[in-house]
Amino acid sequence: MTPLDPRVRTQWRIEALAASLVATLGIVIGAFQLPLAWWGRLGLIVVAAAAIGGGLQFVASLRYRYWKYGLADDVLILEHGVWTRRRSTTPYFRVQNVDLSQGPLERWLGLKRLTIRTASAFTDASIPGLDADAAEQLRLRILERAGRDAAV
Amino acid sequence: MPPSSSASGFSNGPGAMQPSDTEPHEEAPAPVAPAPPAEPGWKRLHLASPLLSAITTALRFWPIFLLAVFNQGGGMPMAFILIGGGFVALAVEVLRFLRFDYRLQGTTLVVRSGVLVRRSRSVPADRVQQVSLNQKLRHRVLGLAEVSVEVAGAGSEPDVKLSVVSRNEAERIRLRLQDARRVGTEVPPERDRVVYSQPNRDLLRWAVFSSPLFMLPAIGAAIGALDDAVDVEQAWGWLPDGSQLWFAALAALLGLAGATAFNGARYYDMLLLRSDNDFRLTYGLFTNRQLEVPPGRIQALVTKLSLAGRLSRTSGITVHNASSAGESTESYLPATPRRSRREVIDLLIPNLELDPPMRRHPPGALRRSVIRWVWPVAVVTLVALALIRRAPAAALVLLVLPAAALGWRSWRVLGHGETPDVVVSRRGAITERTSIVKLSRIQSLSVAANFFQRRLGLATVQIQVAQPLGRVTVKDMDATEATALAARLLANRKQDEETR
C-alpha cells in the first residue's frame, strides 16, 4: 500500500486553516452576544479558536496517516478515514471512466485527484493528493487493465 | 403490407401524414403477424401526441385554472392569459412533434429530436436495459401507448421516450428490440406465456392494510393519551355537538377506501409473462403498464415485508436492473402471497442457488441496535422534561421501552448469507427488507468501521451495484468476518466472470 504524496498535508492544513477562520468568525459573533466583560470575551475567543484550529490541524495530519492506496492485480484498493475507517475495493473491469481533477491549491502544489467511476454512484474510489505526473501514469495503468469486459 | 405503406406515408411532410389516421384500423385485424416490414424509413409519432402533450403540460398548471374559475372578478385578463398560454404550449408541442422522428435501423433504434438544437440518439438493442409500454386511460381510449427505452447509466443521459405512438406501433417496437437482442437462435420465439399472476384478492387485502389511514386507531389512541395537552374542543369546535365522532369515522372510512382503491387500481391484474427470453410485467386497471425485464440484466431482488404485508400475508418484490429509471418504471410486485414468494424469485433468477443459511450478527450489534433506537427517544424525553417540567412529561420515559424492543427486533432480523451465486442481506425492524445481489453484478465493495464499531470489533460491508439501487449494506458484522466476506465476494465474482 502506498501513502499519498506528502504535499497533500500542506493542502489539507491550508483547508483546515480556512475552515477554522470561518469558525472563529462565528465564535466572535457569538461571543459578542454573551453578557461578558471584554477580557472574558477575548479569553473565550482565543481558547475556542485555538481548540478548533488545533483540532482541525490534528485531524488533517491523522487523515494523511490513515490514507493508503494500492493497485492489486485486478482490483484497486483504498484505505482511509479517521473516525470511520474504510477499505474499498474496486475491480478494474468495472471502471467506466477515470477522471483527473485539480483545484487551485492542488495546482499550486502540483497535485491531482484521481476519481474512478463505475455504474454505481456509491463506489468509493477517489484518491486525492497524487503527484500530477504519478496521477497521469496511474490513470493509464488503470485504463489499461479496464475495458476488457462489459462494465455493467 | 399495411405497415410499410403507412410507414412510407409517414416519412415526408404534413401532406403525407394523412395515412397515419387510418393506420390502427388497417393493422387491427392482423395483430398476430409480427413480421417486420423490410426497412421502414423515418417515422413520426402519432398525430395526437402534440395535443396530448399540451394537455399534460396544461394540467400541470391546474391551480391557475382553479384560480381562474373561482376568481370571476378579474376573469377576463386571466382567461386571455390562459388561452394564450395554451396556444403557445400547443405550438411548442407541434414544433417538437414536427422535429421528432425515429427509425429502427437493423438492431439499433435511432431517434432524432430537438427544435433548436438537433439531437440524434442511437440505442443499440443489446444495450437496452428495459422497454416499457405505458397506457394511461386517455391513451387506452385512443388506442395509443408511450414507449420508454431505458439504457444503463448513472442518470446523466435521458432515456428514449416515444410519447405517443399507436398501440400496434408500440408493440412492433417492443418486439423488434426483443428480437434484436436474441442472437443466433433459430428456435421460434415463445410469445407471452403467463408464468405468474398475482391474485387480486391478495392485492386488495394488501391495499387495505397499506393505506396509511389504517394507522388511525393507533394515532387516535396517542392523541387520547395526550388529551390534557391538546385542546381537542378547539380543533373540532366548528362541528355541531355530538357529530364529531361520526365525522371523523366517515373521513377515515373515505380515506381508507380511497387509498385502497388507488393502490388496488394501480397494481390490478398483475401478470408476469415469459416471452422468449424476456419477462414482461403488465398491470393496472386504468393506466396499463407493461415493463419488460431482460433476466440477464437483473442485478438484485429486494423483498419487503412491511406491517401491511404481515397483516395481509403478502410480501413486496422489487426487481432491480441497471438503468437510470425513476420510480415510474421500477418493476415492483407489491403483494405476492407469502406462499408463492419463493416461486416468483426462482422464476426471476433461475438456475442460481438463492437460499443461503442466514447468519446472525454478534452481541455487539445488538448493543448498537438498541442504542440507535433508544437515544433519540431519550433526547426527546430530556428536552420535553426541561421545557415542560411537569410530571406527565416524565411518562415519555416509558417510550424508551418500545424503542429498546424495536432495537432488539432489528437485531433479530439483521443477518446475511452467501451462496456461490448471490449474497443476501436482511435488515429492518418494522419493515423487513431482504436484498439478494448477484455476485456477478457487484461493482465494488467497501468495509467500514467507525470508532464505536472498532471498539466492539464490528464492521459494515457495503456492496455497491449499478444504479438505481446503488448499494446494499450488511451492517455490524464481526470485523474479521467482514473482511473475509468482502474478499470471498470478489473472488467468487471472478470465477463467475471466467465461466461466461
Side-chain angles (χ1 to χ4, degrees), chain A residues 8-10 12-13 16 54-67 82:
Chain A
V8 76
R9 274 182 298 189
T10 318
W12 288 345
R13 291 237 163 93
L56 287 178
Q57 292 299 324
F58 181 60
V59 169
S61 62
L62 280 185
R63 206 170 146 203
Y64 177 77
R65 191 194 302 170
Y66 287 117
W67 237 113
V82 176

Side-chain angles (χ1 to χ4, degrees), chain B residues 32-318:
Chain B
V32 275
E39 193 57 82
W42 292 98
K43 284 192 160 196
R44 285 235 168 88
L45 298 175
H46 194 274
L47 263 179
S49 59
L51 192 62
L52 282 175
S53 304
I55 290 172
T56 313
T57 314
L59 285 180
R60 221 169 281 157
F61 295 100
W62 64 268
I64 299 177
F65 286 95
L66 218 63
L67 216 76
V69 171
F70 284 106
N71 188 7
Q72 291 295 343
M76 275 312 277
M78 198 61 149
F80 279 123
I81 291 171
L82 284 180
I83 292 169
F87 271 112
V88 171
L90 188 61
V92 169
E93 292 302 338
V94 167
L95 273 177
R96 265 200 205 145
F97 167 77
L98 290 174
R99 302 286 270 169
F100 190 107
D101 51 12
Y102 66 94
R103 74 187 288 189
L104 277 155
Q105 214 163 16
T107 60
T108 305
L109 175 67
V110 187
V111 176
R112 297 190 300 193
S113 64
V115 175
L116 294 176
V117 180
R118 296 288 283 161
R119 266 167 73 90
S120 170
R121 289 199 73 193
S122 303
V123 182
D126 59 349
R127 291 280 152 174
V128 170
Q129 296 283 342
Q130 188 173 45
V131 180
S132 56
L133 266 56
N134 268 335
Q135 284 187 290
K136 299 204 171 96
L137 192 59
R138 52 179 176 273
H139 298 146
R140 288 174 73 171
V141 170
L142 298 168
L144 304 171
E146 279 178 350
V147 183
S148 305
V149 181
E150 311 281 347
V151 195
S156 53
E157 284 176 278
D159 298 307
V160 170
K161 193 170 184 186
L162 305 177
S163 172
V164 293
V165 294
S166 74
R167 170 73 204 223
N168 288 328
E169 175 65 7
E171 286 289 343
R172 193 185 72 89
I173 294 168
R174 185 175 70 73
L175 289 177
R176 276 290 297 276
L177 287 175
Q178 185 184 318
D179 285 344
R181 262 204 306 275
R182 191 189 52 238
V183 190
T185 42
E186 271 126 59
V187 188
E190 173 193 15
R191 298 273 189 230
D192 292 354
R193 181 166 57 91
V194 176
V195 286
Y196 171 72
S197 84
Q198 178 175 271
N200 285 327
R201 203 159 36 97
D202 292 288
L203 171 74
L204 289 175
R205 212 170 47 224
W206 167 79
V208 169
F209 288 122
S210 69
S211 146
L213 279 157
F214 186 67
M215 295 291 174
L216 219 67
I219 296 165
I223 290 174
L226 293 172
D227 204 16
D228 296 333
V230 184
D231 191 355
V232 179
E233 281 307 311
Q234 201 182 353
W236 295 103
W238 55 277
L239 283 169
D241 261 356
S243 69
Q244 285 100 333
L245 198 66
W246 289 109
F247 181 81
L250 190 69
L253 205 65
L254 279 177
L256 187 67
T260 307
F262 178 79
N263 269 336
R266 184 178 159 90
Y267 296 109
Y268 196 74
D269 261 343
M270 185 169 263
L271 296 178
L272 186 63
L273 305 167
R274 177 105 211 201
S275 161
D276 193 18
N277 268 327
D278 289 343
F279 285 111
R280 208 143 53 89
L281 200 60
T282 77
Y283 58 93
L285 186 61
F286 300 116
T287 296
N288 181 260
R289 290 184 177 81
Q290 288 192 31
L291 308 177
E292 202 156 274
V293 189
R297 304 278 150 95
I298 293 177
Q299 316 255 324
L301 276 184
V302 180
T303 57
K304 187 175 88 176
L305 184 52
S306 59
L307 198 59
R310 269 177 234 279
L311 291 168
S312 59
R313 292 195 304 282
T314 61
S315 49
I317 300 177
T318 310

